[in-house]
Amino acid sequence: MHKALVLPLVGVMAVVAGCGSTASTGKAIKPGPINIGVIAPFSGPAAEFGTLISAPCYAAGDLINQAGGILGHKVQCTPVDDTGDPADAVPNVTRAIATISNFDLAVGLETNTAATTVPLVNRAQINMVTTNGLTNYDTTTDKYFWRLTPADDANGAAMVQYAYNKGYKRIAVVFENNSTDTGNTPGIEKAAAKLGVKLVTNTTIPADASSYSSVASSVISLHPQAIIFDADPQSTATFLSNYSQLTGGKLLPMITATDSLTPDWYNAVSAAVGTSFIFNKVDLVGSYFSTTTQAFYTYRNALLANPKTHSLADTLATVGPPASIYDGINIMALAMLMAKSADPTVYNAYVNDVVTPKSGAVVVDTFAAGKKALSEGKKIQYVGVLGPVTFNKYHNFAGAFAAARFTGSTTSVNAAIMPGSEISKLLG
Amino acid sequence: MHLLVQSIGFGVAAGAVLALGAVGFTLQFGISNVLNISYGSLMSVGAFLGLFMLGLGLNIWLVMVIGGLAVGACSVVLNRGLITPLVRKGMAPFGLVIVTVSAGIVLEYVIVAVAGPATQTYGNRSGATLNFLGWTLTTAQVVIFAIAVVLMLGLHLLLTRTQLGRAMRATSANRTLARSCGIATSRISDIAWFMSGTFCGMAGIALAITIESFDFTLGSIFLIPMIAAAVLGGVGQPYGAMIGGLVVGIVSSVSSAYWDPAYQSVVAFGIIIVMLLVRPRGLFGSSTATRKLLA
């Protein structure tokens, strides 16, 4: 080869190699918005859940877009219908991964379908903020898995702790036989043993039976002081109605999970047994966060401002899983800014950095504040609706727990707070 | 012992609703020989029509009658508009099953489009609680049981004492022979679909009253127990379906009182499998004719 040709070729190769070295910022963002896939049921009996889980995405997305977006791109919440069925979810999620442009973050991936959807999203190397409560993800090594809600066994332990704090020593446990509800059981059993609470029965019921009278009759015969119960709205209404018929209208105090804090549940149960029961005897246990912080007001106002989420704002704002999605999206969006890339394989490494306390860091409670601080070359620590977040090595975070009470069809108030450390001890 | 007696009572109440649905299902199958899987969705249509009429302030029992008749009309439209044309084109029975499955899905999503996917309720329509014979039942359950008994008796009289009943039995036994004898078999088929739909709609409303809250999947959820009740009684046997419904209801109820309630369906269907192994034609199917009562 002529020397005259070799030198320019070496030069070209050097330029190409140089280009290669800048690839640490990952794949470029295609024109158009960055899509946040909301993987949740949008059809079938659990369709309401898709609406509820989309709301925090709209809130976070609106605020991010108002702040100028991420790296010059708007964000967009894109529904991915997992139908609530793990088998049906596979083709839908696979298609979404293959066809949605700039699919750089997924949220939702709820318990019923997580067993199939989480591996798909993780294999596609897309970061996810999941609300699933499956305990097998407590120690997951999935790199793209991030969870800011407690696993179901911790929630179960918190339910027993709350019952114990209320002075109940004889408790009936009745759950619908699905993975969401029965995931509470191991925690309930461990906590009951440690606290000396007697579980007079610990049983499961099939969903949507035409009658639960036999189960109700069995529970009544065991004379519990309270019942820990979780089922879909229809089954709950039927069970309570059957129970009420057998006791002349008297119902036990009920401890349930905050996933019951929905208009659907309220409407079904209030029609069956009245609002007095709901307001006075139902406690909903779930993850706790303060409703007096500026971060919370910003979140709630964003829900109120969007016509799609306005009517749900009061209910949603106080429930843990939606708040975890809101915070999760902000954390991921700030990680993208820190990484200067929306490529999940790149910004994944910055997620912990967004929430970790460090000297000289500016504490920010919104994406806009974080973006501004980063643009000024400052370090940041995001402290959002859930308060300070510390991910463990399995990308899990579980904070404190609270018991809430309905104050209206779409509103609730916290009745008690239980530190996360207290619940962890019960599970240890 | 008290729990056993109570559970039997609960089972009878639940079984009465199942029996209503199962009789309608088996009546239509006995005449037209089409396994109509959209039957469950028609039940849901009945429940939602009931919701609409209750919103107009109508009495719940009047709603049950009107809703039943309306679903009966829908059932005839389904037969005339979809099933009969496909039968005339020579579609195989399996193909017809798939068509009814598809029609059922379409019906469910029509409900979603009109009424939304959220849980609906008639409110508490149970009435006072009644205690007798060791049973604890609500007024609504007793009334539904009485309605079921009256409808069954009416059906019995229709099939055994009237010209129409004889024509239905003849059509069920041998459609070609019945037609050659001058029976208007397509009209008989329409009547069977109408009666089946009426039972279906009434069962849907009865179910909605009993379980307090429901959504568009209401009928689909209860379709399998209803088919099981019909098969247990002997396919095409209205009396068998009545007894089958009660057996499924009682076994489910008693098993959930003494065993893990999550397995109540397993117990009920396990017993059905065993019974059918012993008596493949069902409780009321004879060894010489599967449709003795209709034929």
Side-chain angles (χ1 to χ4, degrees):
Chain A
M1 192 178 283
H2 292 288
K3 208 173 187 178
L5 286 175
V6 170
L7 283 175
L9 188 61
V10 169
V12 169
M13 287 172 73
V15 170
V16 171
C19 288
S21 70
T22 60
S24 62
T25 54
K27 66 177 191 277
I29 308 173
K30 293 175 189 161
I34 292 171
N35 276 295
I36 303 171
V38 183
I39 301 177
F42 289 92
S43 62
E48 189 195 28
F49 194 72
T51 309
L52 298 177
I53 231 67
S54 299
C57 185
Y58 292 129
D62 289 348
L63 293 175
I64 290 169
N65 290 336
Q66 284 164 22
I70 304 168
L71 304 171
H73 291 258
K74 297 275 186 188
V75 298
Q76 176 174 283
C77 300
T78 304
V80 178
D81 186 7
D82 73 13
T83 73
D85 181 280
D88 292 342
V90 173
N92 293 4
V93 174
T94 305
R95 194 182 313 116
I97 290 169
T99 58
I100 296 175
S101 178
N102 295 330
F103 189 173
D104 296 322
L105 173 61
V107 298
L109 305 98
E110 39 90 30
T111 303
N112 286 336
T113 54
T116 58
T117 56
V118 169
L120 282 174
V121 175
N122 191 62
R123 268 201 300 275
Q125 299 182 315
I126 296 171
N127 282 311
M128 68 193 98
V129 178
T130 174
T131 55
N132 91 70
L134 296 178
T135 52
N136 53 318
Y137 286 109
D138 285 355
T139 53
T140 183
T141 53
D142 287 351
K143 184 179 174 184
Y144 299 93
F145 177 98
W146 298 91
R147 181 163 67 179
L148 292 96
T149 49
D152 290 335
D153 60 342
N155 212 52
M159 288 177 175
V160 176
Q161 178 70 60
Y162 180 69
Y164 176 80
N165 293 348
K166 294 278 284 182
Y168 304 133
K169 298 292 165 55
R170 290 174 58 82
I171 296 171
V173 179
V174 180
F175 283 126
E176 184 179 318
N177 61 338
N178 63 38
S179 54
T180 308
D181 295 327
T182 54
N184 291 285
T185 306
I188 286 174
E189 289 170 346
K190 281 183 185 173
K194 287 203 175 175
L195 294 169
V197 171
K198 183 172 174 55
L199 305 179
V200 296
T201 183
N202 184 359
T203 193
T204 54
I205 55 172
D208 303 326
S210 59
S211 168
Y212 297 108
S213 293
S214 293
V215 187
S217 185
S218 296
V219 170
I220 291 163
S221 69
L222 297 166
H223 307 294
Q225 294 169 297
I227 184 168
I228 292 178
F229 185 98
D230 203 12
D232 65 84
Q234 184 172 316
S235 303
T236 306
T238 307
F239 177 86
L240 288 173
S241 174
N242 293 160
Y243 195 104
S244 170
Q245 286 154 17
L246 294 170
T247 56
K250 288 179 191 160
L251 287 164
L252 284 171
M254 176 188 274
I255 298 165
T256 186
T258 44
D259 57 12
S260 297
L261 193 58
T262 65
D264 225 12
W265 195 95
Y266 178 92
N267 292 335
V269 174
S270 62
V273 292
T275 52
S276 172
F277 168 73
I278 293 181
F279 292 149
N280 299 310
K281 288 197 168 182
V282 178
D283 288 297
L284 307 114
V285 173
S287 50
Y288 165 77
F289 52 87
S290 170
T291 54
T292 57
T293 63
Q294 187 55 45
F296 174 80
Y297 292 132
T298 306
Y299 167 49
R300 185 170 172 275
N301 288 339
L303 287 169
L304 284 167
N306 189 319
K308 287 182 187 166
T309 57
H310 179 83
S311 62
L312 300 166
D314 285 327
T315 305
L316 273 180
T318 56
V319 182
S324 80
I325 287 181
Y326 172 83
D327 269 356
I329 291 172
N330 283 338
I331 292 166
M332 297 294 156
L334 289 169
M336 291 179 200
L337 293 184
M338 288 174 89
K340 298 184 176 61
S341 170
D343 183 343
T345 62
V346 177
Y347 81 80
N348 181 276
Y350 293 82
V351 174
N352 251 323
D353 216 15
V354 173
V355 293
T356 305
K358 42 202 163 289
S359 69
V362 179
V363 174
V364 297
D365 60 4
T366 61
F367 171 82
K371 184 178 181 180
K372 182 169 178 288
L374 288 172
S375 70
E376 291 166 355
K378 294 175 182 168
K379 295 176 189 171
I380 62 162
Q381 182 200 353
Y382 177 79
V383 178
V385 179
L386 300 177
V389 168
T390 313
F391 288 112
N392 64 18
K393 65 178 179 176
Y394 306 110
H395 295 183
N396 272 283
F397 165 73
F401 291 84
R405 279 207 165 173
F406 276 101
T407 52
S409 64
T410 59
T411 53
S412 68
V413 62
N414 283 329
I417 299 166
M418 292 164 281
S421 55
E422 198 174 275
I423 305 307
S424 298
K425 277 183 201 163
L426 294 174
L427 294 169
Chain B
M1 189 62 188
H2 176 64
L3 185 59
L4 175 66
V5 173
Q6 269 205 330
S7 300
I8 291 171
F10 302 143
V12 168
V17 180
L18 273 180
L20 254 183
V23 167
F25 181 84
T26 210
L27 179 69
Q28 170 266 312
F29 182 81
I31 301 288
S32 65
N33 209 26
V34 173
L35 188 65
N36 178 19
I37 301 298
S38 67
Y39 192 83
S41 304
L42 284 167
M43 274 182 78
S44 302
V45 170
F48 277 85
L49 282 174
L51 186 70
F52 172 72
M53 287 186 281
L54 284 172
L56 299 176
L58 297 181
N59 173 275
I60 184 70
W61 305 115
L62 182 62
V63 162
M64 197 169 168
V65 173
I66 299 172
L69 294 172
V71 175
C74 291
S75 186
V76 173
V77 170
L78 181 70
N79 178 43
R80 275 295 176 105
L82 193 63
I83 304 299
T84 301
L86 291 172
V87 169
R88 282 187 186 139
K89 287 178 181 173
M91 180 172 269
F94 183 72
L96 288 172
V97 172
I98 299 301
V99 167
T100 64
V101 170
S102 309
I105 292 169
V106 170
L107 276 174
E108 281 191 352
Y109 282 89
V110 167
I111 295 172
V112 173
V114 175
T119 304
Q120 305 288 346
T121 176
Y122 288 177
N124 192 334
R125 305 271 170 179
S126 303
T129 302
L130 309 170
N131 291 290
F132 56 96
L133 303 171
W135 293 1
T136 307
L137 299 175
T138 64
T139 307
Q141 286 173 324
V142 173
V143 172
I144 289 168
F145 182 78
I147 289 172
V149 170
V150 168
L151 286 173
M152 310 297 172
L153 283 173
L155 182 64
H156 169 74
L157 293 174
L158 176 82
L159 290 175
T160 56
R161 305 284 170 86
T162 67
Q163 191 70 29
L164 174 63
R166 277 191 284 276
M168 291 175 80
R169 289 156 58 197
T171 306
S172 171
N174 190 323
R175 194 178 187 92
T176 309
L177 188 59
R179 196 183 301 129
S180 66
C181 292
I183 294 172
T185 52
S186 58
R187 187 171 144 265
I188 294 298
S189 183
D190 280 346
I191 292 170
W193 278 83
F194 177 75
M195 289 172 60
S196 162
T198 303
F199 273 83
C200 174
M202 293 180 81
I205 293 169
L207 200 51
I209 294 169
T210 309
I211 66 173
E212 303 279 352
S213 67
F214 60 94
D215 62 21
F216 64 97
T217 61
L218 172 84
S220 302
I221 291 166
F222 292 94
L223 182 66
I224 298 300
M226 276 186 306
I227 293 178
V231 171
L232 179 64
V235 176
Q237 307 282 354
Y239 310 128
M242 295 174 208
I243 301 300
L246 289 174
V247 169
V248 171
I250 291 169
V251 170
S252 298
S253 179
V254 172
S255 67
S256 66
Y258 288 97
W259 200 36
D260 190 332
Y263 298 113
Q264 66 180 50
S265 296
V266 176
V267 174
F269 290 115
I271 287 173
I272 287 170
I273 289 171
V274 171
M275 286 184 78
L276 291 177
L277 280 171
V278 175
R279 196 174 167 80
R281 293 171 191 281
L283 289 172
F284 281 70
S286 74
S287 57
T288 54
T290 56
R291 298 174 190 166
K292 186 179 175 187
L293 288 167
L294 275 174

